[in-house]
Structures are given as structure tokens and as C-alpha cells.
Amino acid sequence: MTKRAYNFNAGPAALPLAVLERAQAQFVDFKETGMSIMEMSHRGKVYEEVHHEASSRLLGLLGNPKGYKVLFLQGGATTQFAMIPMNLLSEGKTAGYVKTGSWANKAIKEAKLIGSTFIAASSEEDKYMSTPDVSKLNLPDNTAYLHLTSNETIEGTQFRQFPDTGSVPLIADMSSDILCRPFDLNQFGLVYAGAQKNLGPSGVTVVIAREELLQNSPAHLPTYFRYDTHAENDSLYNTPPSFGIYMVNEVLKWIEEQGALAGIEAKNQTKADLLYGTIDQSGGFYRGCANPKDRSIMNVTFRLGSEELEKQFIKQSEAEGFVGLKGHRSVGGLRASIYNAVPYESVKALTDFMAEFQKQHG
């Protein structure tokens, strides 16, 4: 077998090798149908079984809370930045946003095109290197919803706790940390995620929402942009990204095999502790970017003493088979994305490389 790269890409990102191998085995002939799942009608019984299995498996991992529905959509989390206010921000209401960095800002920008918004909390003063305190928010009576980004991939920060918003629906963009740890879905009106970091390949977007938020979308909206269209048709209104949904189902099976969300969290914490430990114990040679109390266990951002040294790090790491360690172009530096599917061995190899690099250049 060819040697696998040490894949630290931010997204599309590493997929579990076991899932890729299973998909490979079923690629040409799915369940003795003589067809790939990619070739099947999305209205056929074989595909529909996979489609509904993925949905129920996802809710199962979240404890089967009552009154929630899963939608499989397209257009990435970016389309949800607009669909959420289009469907849920009505005349006379205002939408609250928690401003934590690059992705939160993109969501805010879209919402402003659609209706009234306000910033409920922000970490802009800290250059988004922490998460703001959201424990005592003062939300106006006419707040349609409160939106936050649970994990900022670019800055490398992550919420530890989520606010209690009472009767105001809490909405979270969980694209980069969904299913990395257990969380109480009942706290949320709606969560959404592009699949390409923790759930599967790019092309599928998952929305999990309270059923009442998916009903009675405004009548003036185009059919495809209405949540009720997709809820009423079980995400089969038009051709869904069927291969992507099949892959999501396989990834969810793999998560169950890892001990479900508690098992995944333990593995993720071990990887994050190893990597942050290497950074913190380097005597300042490596410097973590995010405030330690808000560090992401998914996206580890760090710097070296100079940009020249960072370029050297990238060049040498690529020669050693490491992929995706360059920081986002908007902030520079270095970033290792250690999503669910990134194995411990890859993180160990990275920390060994970091120690060796420090020996050579420290």
C-alpha cells in the first residue's frame, strides 16, 4: 500500500482510512446491485435506506433528542449564513451574533444583507485570540435567534461552554468541530456544518434543527432556499449529494466504533495535549496563538520566531510528508488541523519533527 501523507489540512480534511477502504470495496458494486451508489436513483429503495440511516445514526450519536430533524443540503455552511436569516429573521425582529473571528464575520456579513442584526458579544479587541464571555448575555425581547461559531478554524479558538438563551433559539456553526466531543443538542435551536472536516467529503452540508424552526418558511423565498421544502421532502426535494451522504453514514459508523462521542473526545484531547505540550515546552521557540483557556482541540495555531523560519518549517515539513501546516493566508503562521480522523500517529510524527526542527534551528 502507498504511504499515507500526514494530513493536517483544514478542509477538505483527513477521512478515516477504514472508511476510505470500505468505500473502495463497495465503490463499483454496492450491496450486489451491480452499480455504484453514485449511479443509483435517489428515489430508489437502496439509496433511500442509506439516506435515512445516516440521518437516524447522526441523531443517535446525539442521544436521540425529541423534536429534531436532520437535513442534508448543498452549498456548504456558507449558504447557511444566508439561509438562516432568510428563514428565521422576520420583520420587526433582530438577530444576535457572537463575533469570534473569520467565519463568524462571514455569517454576520450575510445576515446584514437580509435584516437587522446586533453583536451580542465579541473578542475583536483580543484580535479573536479568545472567545468572549457569553454567560450573561442581554438579548433584546425581539431577538430572532443568537448565532455563534463553536470553533474558529483560522484563529484556533473554541467555545468550552454554550450560553443558555432561554426562549431565544441558539444557532451554531459547528463546521469544524461537530462530533469532536459530546454536546447537548437540546440547548440549540439549530446547528449546521459543512461535512468536509469531521463528517465526510465536501459537498454535503448537515443541518440539525428543532422541527418548529423548519416549518412555515416565508412565502416569498425561492423554493430551494426554504427550510420547509427540505424538511417536508426529507432532503430529497432535488437530487441530493448521494455519494457524500453515503460517506457521512460510513464516517458516523466509524465514530460509533471509536466509542461514540465520549471515545472520540478522549482521543482528540490526547492528540491536542501532545501538540500543545510540545509548543508550550519549547522554551518560546514555538508560540501558541490562541489564549490557552480557549484553545481549539481541532485547529492548533502557532508561530515561530520569524516568517523566514516559518517558511523553512513549511518547506522541511513538506519534504518529510507533512501536508497542510501553513496557516491561513489571512493570518499567516502555522496551523495543524487535528480533526477526528487524524490519527494519533500523525500528531506524534509532527511533534517528533518539531523537536528535531528546534534542535536544528533553536
Side-chain angles (χ1 to χ4, degrees), residues 319-335:
E320 297 281 336
F322 294 92
V323 176
L325 291 171
K326 198 174 179 180
H328 191 271
R329 62 187 180 276
S330 63
V331 294
L334 301 159
R335 169 177 61 176

Side-chain angles (χ1 to χ4, degrees), residues 7 10-16 19-20 23 27 37-38 47 50 54 72-77 175 178 193-206 240-252 255 339 341:
N7 185 355
L15 284 159
V19 169
L20 293 171
F27 192 74
I37 195 153
M38 287 193 287
Y47 171 72
V50 172
F72 295 118
L73 305 176
Q74 296 172 73
S175 292
I178 194 167
Q196 66 274 11
K197 300 173 194 292
N198 258 356
L199 288 172
S202 58
V204 192
T205 308
V206 171
S242 52
F243 184 73
I245 294 166
Y246 153 78
M247 286 293 285
V248 167
N249 191 38
E250 293 301 319
V251 170
L252 296 175
I255 290 173
Y339 300 123

Side-chain angles (χ1 to χ4, degrees), residues 4-239:
R4 300 273 292 159
Y6 299 122
N7 185 355
F8 294 97
N9 276 325
L15 284 159
L17 179 58
V19 169
L20 293 171
E21 288 173 341
R22 274 181 223 167
Q24 184 181 40
Q26 299 180 332
F27 192 74
V28 174
D29 184 7
F30 183 69
K31 295 195 169 174
E32 298 178 347
T33 57
M35 290 182 283
S36 170
I37 195 153
M38 287 193 287
E39 301 175 286
M40 290 177 188
S41 165
H42 61 294
R43 306 282 178 211
K45 185 170 176 284
V46 177
Y47 171 72
E48 279 201 3
E49 264 176 26
V50 172
H51 186 91
H52 296 304
E53 193 180 298
S55 171
S56 60
R57 185 166 264 122
L58 180 53
L59 288 174
L61 281 164
L62 296 169
N64 282 318
K66 287 197 168 30
Y68 284 82
K69 191 167 179 75
V70 173
L71 305 181
F72 295 118
L73 305 176
Q74 296 172 73
T78 304
T79 298
Q80 293 310 304
F81 296 162
M83 265 182 89
I84 288 161
M86 284 164 83
N87 282 268
L88 304 178
L89 179 52
S90 53
E91 195 71 41
K93 294 268 192 180
T94 185
Y97 279 78
V98 180
K99 198 174 182 188
T100 47
S102 307
W103 292 107
N105 285 337
K106 287 185 175 177
I108 293 163
K109 184 183 166 195
E110 293 301 300
K112 280 181 172 171
L113 297 173
I114 288 152
S116 165
T117 63
F118 69 97
I119 304 303
S122 173
S123 56
E124 188 171 12
E125 275 182 14
D126 192 22
K127 296 191 171 145
Y128 304 126
M129 288 302 140
S130 62
T131 59
D133 180 8
V134 289
S135 60
K136 298 181 184 69
L137 294 174
N138 191 12
L139 303 175
D141 292 341
N142 67 336
T143 304
Y145 58 81
L146 179 74
H147 179 286
L148 60 75
T149 308
S150 58
N151 183 80
E152 287 280 4
T153 49
I154 293 176
E155 291 79 12
T157 63
Q158 185 177 30
F159 277 98
R160 292 279 167 273
Q161 256 110 30
F162 300 110
D164 177 358
T165 53
S167 60
V168 173
L170 178 61
I171 293 180
D173 175 1
M174 290 192 171
S175 292
S176 51
D177 69 344
I178 194 167
L179 305 190
C180 79
R181 57 186 176 178
F183 71 94
D184 181 7
L185 185 60
N186 289 301
Q187 262 191 279
F188 296 87
L190 184 152
V191 302
Y192 64 101
Q196 66 274 11
K197 300 173 194 292
N198 258 356
L199 288 172
S202 58
V204 192
T205 308
V206 171
V207 171
I208 314 167
R210 280 200 204 118
E211 288 175 5
E212 65 263 24
L213 293 180
L214 301 175
Q215 295 161 0
N216 309 317
S217 299
H220 69 272
L221 289 184
T223 309
Y224 192 81
F225 294 107
R226 300 166 59 102
Y227 282 138
D228 58 9
T229 298
H230 301 287
E232 285 161 16
N233 291 279
D234 281 330
S235 307
L236 291 161
Y237 172 73
N238 68 324
T239 309

